C-alpha cells in the first residue's frame, strides 16, 4: 500500500481566503499544499468571447439552486479572476446588524475599527486605489450625471485596477489578459509559490476524515480539463491544519459530506446563507435625453452608446448607506457592466407584466444594447438560504461540461428582503426614469429565482454556537484544526462588494491559524510583510495579536 502524502497545511480553494492564508503560512515556514477545483489560466489564456470551451466558460461556476443561483470563480485565483475589482470597506453599521436572529450577528470581537488595520494591509498588498473622474468610463459618468440630476450623490469606487494598463475593453469579468486587474494571480499567489506553496489545479475536494494522530485526511477527485463532469482519478493528503476556502457555495457542502466521518457538524453549517441582497436593473437610455437633459456628448453628437466600453464598477451611489436608516432600508447602487449573454437573456422588457425574454419588444430592446446601463443593488437580506443534502460529488450536479450545475441551495426571500429590493428598485427608477432619461427594467426573480455573484455566510463566524459555525478566529466549532476563511465565514450581507472584507478577515485569521499549527507541531511563524514587501500597515495589526493568539 502506498503511503499517504503528508503536508503541514492543506488549503481548499485559491480565492481571497485561500491565497492570503497560503502566502502567510508558507512565508512563515509551513509546508503548504493548495487544492483548486478549476484550471490554472494565465493572462494570455483569457479570451474575449463567450464560446463553449473558451476561458469564459472554463473559469466560472454557475450553480442553479431552488430560488437562488450562484455565480463564482472556478480557477486558480478564484473569485479574484472573475470579479470586477471593486473593493470598498463595509459600512460601520454592518457590524451591528441583527438580521434574522434578532441580536448582533458579528462576533463581539470584530467591529469596523477592529477590521480597519486588516483592510489597510490588503489595500497595501494589491494595492487598492480610488479612481479619479478622468478614469471613469462613459457608463460611470452617465450614472453619476443621472444621480446628480436626481439630487443624489455618486462616487468613484475604490478598485484594485492599474489604470496605466487598463485598455477599457470591459472584459474584466472574464479575466484580465492585460494584467490591469490586480487579481491574486499577480500578488499573494506568486508570493506564496516563492515561499514553497504548491498549487494543484483541477483537484476537487470531496470530504475530510480524521487521522489517528489528530490531523485530517483530505479526499479529492482530479477533474478532466475539458469536461468537468468527468473525474480521471482520486487521492488523499493528510494535513495537520485544513483551511476551507472553496467559496460559500462549496465549503458547507464539503463539511456536510464530511459529517458522517468527522462527527456532528455545527448547526449553522449550510444555514444562514446570504446572497448579499443582490439585484440588477437595466435601463435603456434615451440618447437624446442624455444629451439634452444631462449635457453629455462623446463627440459627433453622440451622448452615450457606450455600454460595452470601460471597466467594471467605477461609480456608486451610497446615499442609502446611512446607519440611521432601519435595517433592510440600507443599500448601495453601483453602475455595472454585465456582458451580453447573461444581460441580454435575463433583462426584461420595461413594464412587462410577466417574464419577457422573447418577442418583438425584447428584440428592439436588445437592438439598443449599447444604450443600456446596468445598476447593481446590494441590500440587507435575511440570511434565508439553506443547503440540503450534498450531491454525490462536488458542490453541484454538473449539467454541462463546464460552468453549469444544479446545487443543493434553497432560498426563499423574506418580507424584509423583498422590501429592501422594492425600495432600492424605486430609487433606481427615480434616478434613471426622471424626466424621461430612460426606461428601467429589473432582471426577474420570478422564474430563475434570486441570484448572487457574492455568496456569503453559509459557515459564518459569531459568538452564538447555534447560529454560527465558526468562532471569532474562524475555527470550526468542535473540530480543532479546521478553519474557514472564504466568503462563507462573513456573517451576512454587507451592502457593498465583499471582496475586501473577505480578504481582511482572512488576514485577521492568520495569527490564530499559525498558533494552532504550532500547537500541532508545525514550525511556522507569523509576521511576513505584504507580498510586495510593505510593512507600513502593520502597526494596527500588531496591537491585536495578543487577542488573536489567545488560548
Amino acid at each position: 500500500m502506498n503511503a499517504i502524502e503528508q503536508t503541514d497545511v492543506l488549503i481548499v480553494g485559491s480565492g481571497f481566503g485561500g491565497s492570503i492564508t497560503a502566502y502567510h503560512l508558507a512565508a512563515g515556514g509551513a509546508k503548504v499544499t493548495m487544492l483548486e477545483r478549476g484550471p490554472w489560466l494565465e493572462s494570455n489564456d483569457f479570451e474575449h468571447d463567450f464560446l463553449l470551451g473558451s476561458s469564459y466558460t472554463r473559469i466560472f461556476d454557475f450553480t442553479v439552486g431552488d430560488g437562488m443561483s450562484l455565480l463564482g470563480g472556478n480557477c486558480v485565483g478564484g473569485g479574484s479572476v472573475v470579479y470586477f475589482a471593486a473593493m470598498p470597506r463595509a459600512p460601520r453599521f454592518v457590524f451591528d446588524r441583527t438580521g434574522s436572529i434578532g441580536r448582533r450577528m458579528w462576533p463581539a470581537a470584530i467591529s469596523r475599527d477592529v477590521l480597519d488595520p486588516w483592510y489597510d494591509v490588503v489595500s497595501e498588498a494589491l494595492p487598492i486605489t480610488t479612481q479619479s473622474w478622468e478614469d471613469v468610463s462613459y457608463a460611470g459618468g452617465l450614472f453619476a450625471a443621472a444621480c446628480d440630476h436626481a439630487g443624489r450623490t455618486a462616487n468613484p469606487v475604490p478598485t484594485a485596477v492599474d489604470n496605466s494598463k487598463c485598455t477599457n475593453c470591459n472584459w474584466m469579468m472574464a479575466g484580465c489578459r492585460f494584467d490591469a486587474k490586480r487579481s491574486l494571480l499577480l500578488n499573494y499567489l506568486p508570493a506564496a509559490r516563492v515561499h514553497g506553496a504548491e498549487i494543484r489545479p483541477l483537484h476537487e475536494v470531496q470530504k475530510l476524515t480524521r487521522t489517528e494522530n489528530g490531523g485530517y485526511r483530505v479526499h479529492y477527485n482530479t477533474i478532466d480539463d475539458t469536461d468537468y463532469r468527468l473525474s480521471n482519478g482520486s487521492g488523499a493528503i493528510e494535513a495537520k491544519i485544513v483551511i476551507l476556502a472553496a467559496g460559500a457555495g462549496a465549503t458547507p457542502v464539503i463539511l456536510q459530506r464530511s459529517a458522517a466521518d468527522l462527527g456532528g457538524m455545527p448547526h449553522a453549517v449550510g444555514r444562514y446563507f446570504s446572497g448579499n441582497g443582490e439585484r440588477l436593473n437595466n435601463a435603456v437610455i434615451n440618447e437624446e435625453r442624455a444629451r439634452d437633459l444631462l449635457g453629455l456628448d462623446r463627440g459627433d453628437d453622440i451622448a452615450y452608446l457606450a455600454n460595452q466600453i470601460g471597466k467594471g464598477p467605477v461609480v456608486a451611489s451610497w446615499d442609502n448607506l446611512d446607519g440611521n436608516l432601519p435595517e433592510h432600508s440600507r443599500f448601495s447602487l453601483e453602475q455595472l457592466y454585465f456582458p451580453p449573454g447573461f444581460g441580454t437573456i435575463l433583462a426584461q422588457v420595461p413594464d412587462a407584466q410577466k417574464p419577457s425574454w422573447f418577442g418583438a419588444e425584447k428584440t428592439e430592446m436588445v437592438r439598443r444594447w449599447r444604450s443600456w446601463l446596468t445598476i447593481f443593488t446590494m441590500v440587507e437580506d435575511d440570511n434565508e438560504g439553506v443547503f440540503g443534502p450534498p450531491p454525490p460529488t462536488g458542490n453541484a450536479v454538473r449539467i454541462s461540461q463546464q460552468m453549469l450545475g444544479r446545487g443543493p441551495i434553497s432560498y426563499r426571500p423574506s418580507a424584509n428582503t423583498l422590501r429592501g429590493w422594492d425600495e432600492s428598485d424605486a430609487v433606481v427608477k427615480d434616478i434613471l426614469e426622471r424626466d424621461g432619461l430612460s426606461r428601467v427594467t429589473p432582471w426577474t426573480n420570478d422564474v430563475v429565482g434570486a441570484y448572487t455573484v457574492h455568496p456569503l455566510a453559509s459557515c459564518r463566524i459569531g459568538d452564538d454556537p447555534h447560529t454560527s459555525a465558526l468562532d471569532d478566529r474562524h475555527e470550526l466549532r468542535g473540530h480543532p484544526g479546521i478553519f474557514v476563511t472564504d466568503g462563507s465565514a462573513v456573517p451576512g450581507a454587507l451592502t457593498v462588494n465583499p471582496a475586501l472584507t473577505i480578504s481582511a478577515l482572512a488576514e485577521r485569521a492568520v495569527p490564530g491559524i499559525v498558533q494552532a499549527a504550532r500547537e500541532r507541531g508545525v514550525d511556522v511563524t507569523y509576521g511576513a510583510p505584504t507580498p510586495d514587501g510593505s510593512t507600513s500597515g502593520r502597526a494596527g495589526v500588531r496591537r491585536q495579536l495578543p487577542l488573536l493568539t489567545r488560548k
Side-chain angles (χ1 to χ4, degrees):
M1 180 177 177
N2 293 330
I4 297 292
E5 186 177 357
Q6 307 284 325
T7 191
D8 292 333
V9 179
L10 191 289
I11 300 176
V12 184
S14 60
F16 292 104
S19 294
I20 289 172
T21 51
Y23 164 67
H24 285 289
L25 289 160
K31 181 181 180 182
V32 175
T33 305
M34 177 180 286
L35 303 185
E36 164 57 49
R37 177 184 60 189
W40 194 337
L41 303 185
E42 298 179 347
S43 304
N44 292 335
D45 298 318
F46 297 127
E47 300 164 279
H48 288 182
D49 62 50
F50 302 100
L51 299 176
L52 179 64
S54 73
S55 62
Y56 191 82
T57 62
R58 294 180 68 196
I59 63 177
F60 275 106
D61 183 51
F62 187 64
T63 302
V64 179
D66 178 12
M68 171 63 73
S69 295
L70 286 63
L71 183 65
N74 182 55
C75 56
V76 173
S80 78
V81 175
V82 301
Y83 80 144
F84 285 112
M87 299 291 266
R89 303 186 182 203
R92 188 170 296 274
F93 63 77
V94 160
F95 300 94
D96 293 318
R97 287 195 61 209
T98 58
S100 59
I101 62 175
R103 55 189 178 278
R104 195 175 191 268
M105 296 160 55
W106 284 75
I110 302 178
S111 65
R112 170 61 186 269
D113 289 336
V114 167
L115 210 55
D116 267 333
W118 306 98
Y119 279 138
D120 292 341
V121 169
V122 180
S123 298
E124 190 174 70
L126 295 181
I128 296 168
T129 57
T130 299
Q131 296 181 336
S132 70
W133 286 108
E134 286 73 24
D135 294 318
V136 166
S137 66
Y138 291 122
L142 172 60
F143 183 53
C147 287
D148 182 66
H149 178 71
R152 295 178 65 89
T153 64
N155 302 276
V157 177
T159 61
V161 174
D162 183 347
N163 284 311
S164 69
K165 296 181 178 180
C166 182
T167 66
N168 288 328
C169 70
N170 232 340
W171 282 85
M172 182 179 286
M173 188 176 176
C176 181
R177 67 182 291 115
F178 306 108
D179 287 342
K181 178 169 65 175
R182 291 171 170 131
S183 76
L184 298 169
L185 297 173
L186 305 177
N187 36 71
Y188 282 98
L189 279 173
R193 293 183 70 200
V194 166
H195 289 285
E198 183 181 6
I199 304 169
R200 301 184 187 179
L202 299 170
H203 282 59
E204 183 177 65
V205 170
Q206 304 302 318
K207 67 176 183 177
L208 314 181
T209 57
R210 294 191 189 278
T211 63
E212 293 181 356
N213 61 4
Y216 296 95
R217 184 172 295 170
V218 180
H219 302 260
Y220 63 83
N221 292 342
T222 51
I223 305 301
D224 184 82
D225 186 39
T226 301
D227 191 340
Y228 297 162
R229 296 170 296 186
L230 304 178
S231 172
N232 51 32
S234 62
I237 302 175
E238 290 184 354
K240 298 172 182 176
I241 295 289
V242 174
I243 300 172
L244 293 173
T251 288
V253 180
I254 294 170
L255 288 175
Q256 288 176 327
R257 191 180 289 118
S258 304
D261 294 291
L262 294 182
M265 284 291 136
H267 172 79
V269 169
R271 291 183 171 86
Y272 306 110
F273 171 89
S274 167
N276 203 32
E278 294 175 357
R279 186 164 173 81
L280 285 159
N281 279 276
N282 271 354
V284 182
I285 302 297
N286 181 318
E287 294 286 337
E288 291 184 0
R289 297 300 289 159
R291 181 189 63 230
D292 299 338
L293 189 68
L294 303 180
L296 300 182
D297 186 356
R298 284 179 48 194
D300 298 329
D301 205 33
I302 295 175
Y304 176 47
L305 284 178
N307 182 51
Q308 80 281 17
I309 302 172
K311 307 175 178 68
V314 290
V315 169
S317 178
W318 292 321
D319 291 349
N320 282 79
L321 296 186
D322 181 350
N324 294 317
L325 292 172
E327 195 167 347
H328 304 288
S329 291
R330 302 174 297 206
F331 53 84
S332 63
L333 305 176
E334 194 171 78
Q335 165 268 317
L336 175 74
Y337 174 71
F338 230 83
F342 290 113
T344 53
I345 293 172
L346 293 177
Q348 302 300 293
V349 173
D351 304 319
Q353 298 303 307
K354 58 183 179 180
S356 52
W357 288 306
F358 306 101
E361 288 183 286
K362 181 61 180 287
T363 300
E364 172 60 19
M365 180 180 171
V366 172
R367 187 187 67 80
R368 299 181 56 199
W369 71 275
R370 288 192 299 160
S371 293
W372 286 14
L373 185 71
T374 303
I375 304 302
F376 185 49
T377 300
M378 290 165 275
V379 309
E380 297 166 303
D381 69 2
D382 252 342
N383 293 77
E384 298 98 322
V386 178
F387 282 78
T393 63
N395 67 305
V397 175
R398 294 288 175 186
I399 297 172
S400 64
Q401 68 182 48
Q402 293 172 11
M403 191 171 177
L404 184 61
R406 167 70 71 174
I409 180 71
S410 176
Y411 187 88
R412 296 289 180 271
S414 70
N416 287 329
T417 302
L418 292 171
R419 187 181 76 247
W421 285 339
D422 287 344
E423 290 181 9
S424 63
D425 283 352
V427 172
V428 172
K429 288 176 73 71
D430 178 64
I431 293 170
L432 293 176
E433 290 191 343
R434 185 175 291 229
D435 297 322
L437 176 62
S438 73
R439 296 182 71 198
V440 173
T441 174
W443 286 20
T444 182
N445 289 4
D446 297 338
V447 175
V448 299
Y451 27 79
T452 180
V453 296
H454 298 131
L456 303 170
S458 51
C459 294
R460 63 189 186 180
I461 56 175
D463 291 330
D464 179 2
H466 185 72
T467 59
S468 59
L470 315 172
D471 64 21
D472 64 19
R473 295 192 302 167
H474 293 249
E475 193 166 27
L476 183 67
R477 298 185 188 279
H479 301 277
I482 298 177
F483 293 83
V484 176
T485 57
D486 57 20
S488 62
V490 177
L494 300 177
T495 68
V496 296
N497 313 72
L500 183 57
T501 298
I502 295 169
S503 302
L505 288 172
E507 284 277 2
R508 180 184 174 275
V510 171
I513 298 173
V514 167
Q515 182 192 30
R518 290 180 62 82
E519 291 170 354
R520 288 170 172 257
V522 179
D523 185 12
V524 60
T525 59
Y526 174 75
T530 58
D532 68 350
S534 300
T535 58
S536 61
R538 290 285 166 185
V541 165
R542 285 194 294 271
R543 288 193 288 270
Q544 295 186 32
L545 293 183
L547 290 174
L548 294 172
T549 55
R550 70 187 188 277
K551 294 191 177 182

